[in-house]
Amino acid sequence: MPFSSRFALLVLPFLLLFSGLPDEVVGQAALQGIVSDATSGNILDGANVTLSEVDGDRFYGAATNRNGLYQIGGIAPGRYELRVTYVGYEAITENVQFEPEERANRSFDLEPDEGMLDEVVVAPRGGASRREVGVQRITQVDLSRIPTPAAGGDLASYLTSMPGVVSTGDRGGQLYIRGGLPSQNMILMDGAMIYQPFHIVGFFSAFPEDLVSSTEFHAGGFGPKYVGRTSSVMDIRMADGDRYETGGTASVSPFVADVTVEGPIKEGTSSWIGSFRHSLIEQTSSWLMSRQQPLHFDSQFLKVSQLSESDSRCSALGMRTYDRGQLDSGSSDEINWSNVVVSGRCLFLPENSNLFLAMDSGISTFNNQLVSEDVANLEAGVTRFHLNTNMTQQAGAVELEYGMNSFMEWMSYDMNEKFIGIQDQSEDMFSIGFHASAAIPLGERVTVTPGAALSVYPNRYPASVEPRIRASWQPFGRESEQLSAAAGIYRQALVGVNDMRDASSVFTAWMLSPLSDEQVETRHALLGWRQELPWGLQLSVEGYGKWIQDQPVSVWSPIARFSSELALADGVVYGGDLTLELNTRRFYGFVGYGLSWMEYESAQASFGSWFGEPVQTYHPPHDRRHQLQAMGSLELGEYTLSSRWQLGSGLPFTRPIGFDEIHYFDGPLPDIRREYGTPRVIMDRPYGGRMPTYHRMDVSLERTFDFPQGEVALQVGAINAYDQTNIFFYDIYTHRRVDQMPVALYGSLKVTI
């Protein structure tokens, strides 16, 4: 019996247990609603809603999820005091009466509490150590703490400060998360896929601080509603515009300039927010870093939001990004890519029901091109249309989540003999799927959440069943001390193919699996412990394993050459992350350590002819064994001082061991005694060497000035403050070392009105 079938048999009893539960106990009532910010309409994740019986001892409570939704079931009829609280906002308290079998919808808009603005820094459910296993919730406050050479934080800078996340450095925009490839990351923007939102300058993405409401980052073990990727999920909710006042921000630094404007369409019920961003590093780098960095990016964003009296909320957004540049300024090769996303999302709370419904639909396109003077250009693109529905329903103490997803994808690529046998082609794929999971409390201290996803690919792949399960245990009955675990099977029908032999390669061609009728499969297993310590410290420890099957990789040859073939590899990843966090009124500090061990096994004919063994095991180029991150933010009166230090052990690379000359005999016979042949490089075993250790410090100092019309923020800082020479990649064809950016001093100005 296949492993997935055996796993499904373990999960099935839990789902069958749920299927026999009634919607509610007879005679009991239910309450649900959405909690949001009264000004912007942004949902509040982690708000507390409690019911205290007026003439009794009954007590009920729930916290909102990332849709701002709370659901309380099994309420005994009677009079209660209802209280809604969230740090930094004025609490709402009122008396309510519940009749037998009443199902009520009550949504709340919380007003910011001016007297508690300083306490907003202690945002609940955010921070690096406030996590369930594999899941971290990232807030705007978290983004603002990381020094970024702009007038605000960015999701890219924050993610690269996390243990378990390996980046290509300060250019390229590639993130490897716990051993997965960049093409195996799912990045959702209000439910819509965006393929490559990380800009060519590694500090920036399409998600600056001002545009992000919240992010749920799954480094592994994610639930069944996420299908189609095998490594990680970044579920990003974009901010809504202000529903009452028109305003905005404008900022400039030597790296980037941007403008964000927002305001009401119809006061109190609808709003808009727009952003325009343009890089400046190509123009300023010649004097900022003593040499030009031929790197450029820009992006445009617009979102419109509507709130109705019936508790339904709808929004529509559009985004375009464009990146262009030379990752190696000494080469003529230029990479460019672009994203275009148009999507809509609606949330519904039907009257007299305990059902919450979310629907989203949209279209996303991605195109990239590698332009070279030496070889033929490479081009590839993908377009995706999706329609998703997701429902949440309370049945007594059990929360059920289920839904349907469908998508259509069109791919085209022209590889120009980059990979032998893969040339110019167009493909398409349709998929429809269903998912369900149930959060089942087993007593007061244990919660088990089994689930499964079913995906059908007509005429492409066999139907896929992906069972998954999560569990948490609070052995001492306190949320501050929790053991959690997750496991599951993840498959990916569409693969992103690039040349793994080249550490600087960003060009990606999306296609159906080119070598097999099976999808890429990864199995996840995670175990984590969260602990509150004295003096306000938070500790999180997490271990994980991933087992990879049928991953396409570049065929290695003992001879360095432009063209390659693809082969299949299996892989295994083991690792662990440790984070320690301190959050006080004036100081925030974070230390994270990540340990990872990764190995691929692949059978290739060239291995047998050169190394004497047809099967080789090797550490792939993103296998960073040790990673240490430290970050601090300190308020000194009217100033805020922030710093980040990163240390990473060297990444693998393939060493050249010599060279020879080759003569060709398909034309006139060469005179091998008098004529030189064509030089070629002879390679050692794949990835047998290690680059030098990487380390860097970034610092910034900021002060904000308040004026009647708004505020002005001034910032000075330095990237790579002590000018460490870090290697970006080693060019095996020309024996050149390409380094990352040197020290860069900068200043920024941000005006908010």
Side-chain angles (χ1 to χ4, degrees):
M1 183 182 294
F3 179 81
S4 59
S5 300
R6 298 198 302 270
F7 197 167
L9 289 177
L10 294 176
V11 172
L12 185 60
F14 290 98
L15 295 179
L16 292 177
L17 173 66
F18 171 80
S19 65
L21 293 173
D23 284 349
E24 295 291 344
V25 178
V26 175
Q28 294 188 338
L31 176 69
Q32 68 176 5
I34 297 174
V35 181
S36 57
D37 184 297
T39 302
S40 67
N42 290 325
I43 57 116
L44 298 178
D45 177 8
N48 292 312
V49 181
T50 59
L51 292 171
S52 302
E53 192 174 24
V54 174
D55 299 317
D57 298 328
R58 293 188 178 94
F59 179 86
Y60 307 92
T64 58
N65 62 18
R66 65 185 320 255
N67 288 315
L69 173 71
Y70 73 92
Q71 291 182 316
I72 304 175
I75 304 171
R79 294 180 65 247
Y80 293 86
E81 180 186 80
L82 184 150
R83 184 171 175 81
V84 185
T85 59
Y86 191 81
V87 174
Y89 289 81
E90 295 180 358
I92 292 178
T93 304
E94 58 184 54
N95 290 328
V96 294
Q97 174 76 37
F98 288 101
E99 302 298 332
E101 300 186 9
E102 178 183 357
R103 290 185 173 90
N105 288 350
R106 291 294 307 276
S107 294
F108 301 94
D109 289 337
L110 299 186
E111 298 283 351
D113 188 340
E114 299 296 335
M116 296 179 65
L117 287 181
D118 289 340
E119 298 185 35
V120 176
V121 177
V122 195
R125 303 186 74 178
S129 62
R130 292 288 296 175
R131 64 170 72 190
E132 301 170 16
V133 65
V135 186
Q136 181 181 341
R137 292 171 177 86
I138 304 170
T139 67
Q140 283 187 334
V141 173
D142 296 321
L143 301 186
S144 68
R145 291 173 174 143
I146 304 296
T148 304
D154 193 283
L155 183 61
S157 291
Y158 185 85
L159 290 174
T160 55
S161 70
M162 295 293 97
V165 178
V166 175
S167 72
T168 53
D170 51 28
R171 72 196 83 173
Q174 301 285 78
L175 296 183
Y176 301 83
I177 298 172
R178 290 186 173 178
L181 301 177
S183 59
Q184 295 169 341
N185 300 326
M186 174 179 285
I187 305 159
L188 302 175
M189 180 176 62
D190 280 5
M193 179 88 74
I194 181 167
Y195 285 87
Q196 175 51 305
F198 300 104
H199 287 309
I200 197 167
V201 181
F203 312 111
F204 304 106
S205 71
F207 308 115
E209 173 189 335
D210 292 340
L211 293 185
V212 176
S213 175
S214 68
T215 300
E216 195 167 74
F217 174 45
H218 301 255
F222 39 93
K225 71 177 180 180
Y226 301 113
V227 293
R229 294 294 184 270
T230 60
S231 179
S232 72
V233 173
M234 296 166 228
D235 194 344
I236 303 159
R237 298 294 165 82
M238 306 302 285
D240 295 325
D242 194 303
R243 293 184 291 175
Y244 295 94
E245 295 183 358
T246 300
T249 64
S251 66
V252 64
S253 80
F255 282 76
V256 66
D258 60 47
V259 176
T260 301
V261 186
E262 61 182 329
I265 299 174
K266 183 178 180 181
E267 186 172 306
T269 61
S270 58
S271 65
W272 66 278
I273 181 170
S275 174
F276 305 88
R277 213 173 193 203
H278 189 86
S279 67
L280 301 175
I281 188 172
E282 195 168 30
Q283 292 76 30
T284 62
S285 55
S286 57
W287 54 266
L288 186 68
M289 305 176 199
S290 301
R291 66 173 181 265
Q292 187 183 30
Q293 301 288 336
L295 307 169
H296 167 83
F297 66 86
D298 61 68
S299 63
Q300 301 83 41
F301 173 81
L302 177 65
K303 181 178 180 180
V304 177
S305 305
Q306 171 73 40
L307 172 66
S308 74
E309 296 180 358
S310 61
D311 283 333
S312 66
R313 298 159 185 256
C314 290
S315 62
L317 65 79
M319 173 177 279
R320 173 193 172 272
T321 75
Y322 177 73
D323 290 75
R324 168 190 53 78
Q326 295 171 293
L327 301 184
D328 176 7
S329 58
S331 169
S332 61
D333 291 356
E334 181 178 277
I335 182 75
N336 65 73
W337 70 81
S338 63
N339 296 275
V340 176
V341 180
V342 179
S343 69
R345 179 179 175 84
C346 285
L347 309 178
F348 300 98
L349 279 173
E351 290 290 339
N352 302 317
S353 171
N354 63 348
L355 178 69
F356 172 79
L357 172 64
M359 299 182 64
D360 56 82
S361 180
I363 189 166
S364 176
T365 67
F366 170 74
N367 292 282
N368 64 160
Q369 182 182 45
L370 181 63
V371 181
S372 175
E373 293 181 358
D374 301 325
V375 295
N377 297 340
L378 308 181
E379 298 180 359
V382 59
T383 298
R384 172 188 174 103
F385 171 79
H386 81 276
L387 174 62
N388 297 331
T389 61
N390 194 70
M391 287 161 277
T392 305
Q393 191 169 7
Q394 200 77 19
V398 176
E399 182 182 277
L400 175 68
E401 187 173 13
Y402 55 95
M404 182 183 76
N405 58 76
S406 60
F407 61 86
M408 186 74 190
E409 290 182 285
W410 299 267
M411 300 78 68
S412 63
Y413 47 87
D414 186 354
M415 304 297 284
N416 284 313
E417 298 185 359
K418 178 68 172 178
F419 293 103
I420 298 172
I422 301 177
Q423 303 300 325
D424 184 0
Q425 191 170 345
S426 297
E427 300 176 308
D428 60 76
M429 181 181 69
F430 172 72
S431 173
I432 186 168
F434 306 88
H435 66 86
S437 63
I440 306 171
L442 305 178
E444 296 183 354
R445 300 185 179 184
V446 177
T447 301
V448 179
T449 308
L454 168 66
S455 299
V456 179
Y457 308 90
N459 304 320
R460 292 297 183 183
Y461 296 106
S464 171
V465 178
E466 301 172 41
R468 303 171 189 181
I469 189 168
R470 299 179 62 85
S472 64
W473 175 39
Q474 298 173 4
F476 308 110
R478 297 185 293 267
E479 184 183 356
S480 59
E481 297 163 315
Q482 179 172 289
L483 181 70
S484 52
I489 295 177
Y490 303 83
R491 296 192 180 97
Q492 185 163 336
L494 216 63
V495 297
V497 172
N498 64 3
D499 192 353
M500 295 179 67
R501 302 174 304 163
D502 183 356
S504 69
S505 178
V506 177
F507 175 83
T508 301
W510 290 91
M511 63 184 68
L512 300 174
S513 182
L515 301 173
S516 172
D517 292 332
E518 299 293 331
Q519 302 178 56
V520 177
E521 179 179 296
T522 302
R523 303 171 186 176
H524 294 196
L526 302 90
L527 182 66
W529 174 260
R530 188 180 72 232
Q531 173 76 55
E532 288 188 9
L533 301 173
W535 307 297
L537 291 168
Q538 301 272 353
L539 174 68
S540 175
V541 181
E542 193 166 306
Y544 59 88
K546 291 184 178 181
W547 294 266
I548 305 165
Q549 295 180 359
D550 296 328
Q551 170 65 52
V553 297
S554 306
V555 168
W556 269 96
S557 166
I559 309 302
R561 59 186 184 182
F562 171 79
S563 295
S564 179
E565 298 178 67
L566 289 177
L568 294 179
D570 295 336
V572 61
V573 185
Y574 300 113
D577 295 345
L578 183 149
T579 62
L580 186 64
E581 188 178 30
L582 176 63
N583 195 352
T584 67
R585 187 179 181 88
R586 298 295 180 186
F587 176 76
Y588 174 86
F590 160 77
V591 176
Y593 169 72
L595 173 67
S596 177
W597 183 89
M598 186 186 325
E599 186 176 77
Y600 280 5
E601 180 180 278
S602 179
Q604 300 177 17
S606 58
F607 290 156
S609 62
W610 187 249
F611 303 115
E613 302 168 356
V615 178
Q616 286 287 320
T617 59
Y618 58 89
H619 302 292
H622 51 289
D623 176 37
R624 173 156 279 161
R625 188 75 71 245
H626 304 280
Q627 191 157 271
L628 180 64
Q629 308 273 358
M631 195 274 288
S633 179
L634 176 64
E635 292 188 16
L636 301 169
E638 298 175 332
Y639 295 88
T640 300
L641 176 64
S642 300
S643 65
R644 174 178 66 167
W645 184 70
Q646 301 173 283
L647 173 69
S649 57
L651 295 172
F653 77 104
T654 302
R655 294 177 295 199
I657 57 175
F659 69 94
D660 67 1
E661 296 176 353
I662 184 171
H663 292 272
Y664 296 95
F665 293 86
D666 52 353
L669 292 179
D671 186 346
I672 60 174
R673 295 184 177 183
R674 294 183 175 84
E675 297 178 3
Y676 290 107
T678 302
R680 62 180 184 178
V681 181
I682 308 299
M683 308 304 299
D684 201 349
R685 292 177 181 268
Y687 305 110
R690 289 274 174 175
M691 293 185 184
T693 299
Y694 167 91
H695 57 97
R696 189 184 81 190
M697 174 174 280
D698 305 331
V699 296
S700 69
L701 180 66
E702 180 178 352
R703 180 175 178 180
T704 300
F705 300 88
D706 294 320
F707 296 97
Q709 296 80 14
E711 65 180 30
V712 174
L714 298 176
Q715 183 185 83
V716 294
I719 297 299
N720 193 9
Y722 52 81
D723 200 18
Q724 170 65 21
T725 303
N726 290 305
I727 187 171
F728 178 46
F729 76 98
Y730 175 71
D731 189 332
I732 60 176
Y733 297 97
T734 61
H735 303 290
R736 289 187 305 110
R737 167 178 169 151
V738 180
D739 289 329
Q740 301 197 38
M741 292 182 184
V743 60
L745 304 176
Y746 68 91
S748 69
L749 169 68
K750 183 176 183 179
V751 179
T752 303
I753 57 174

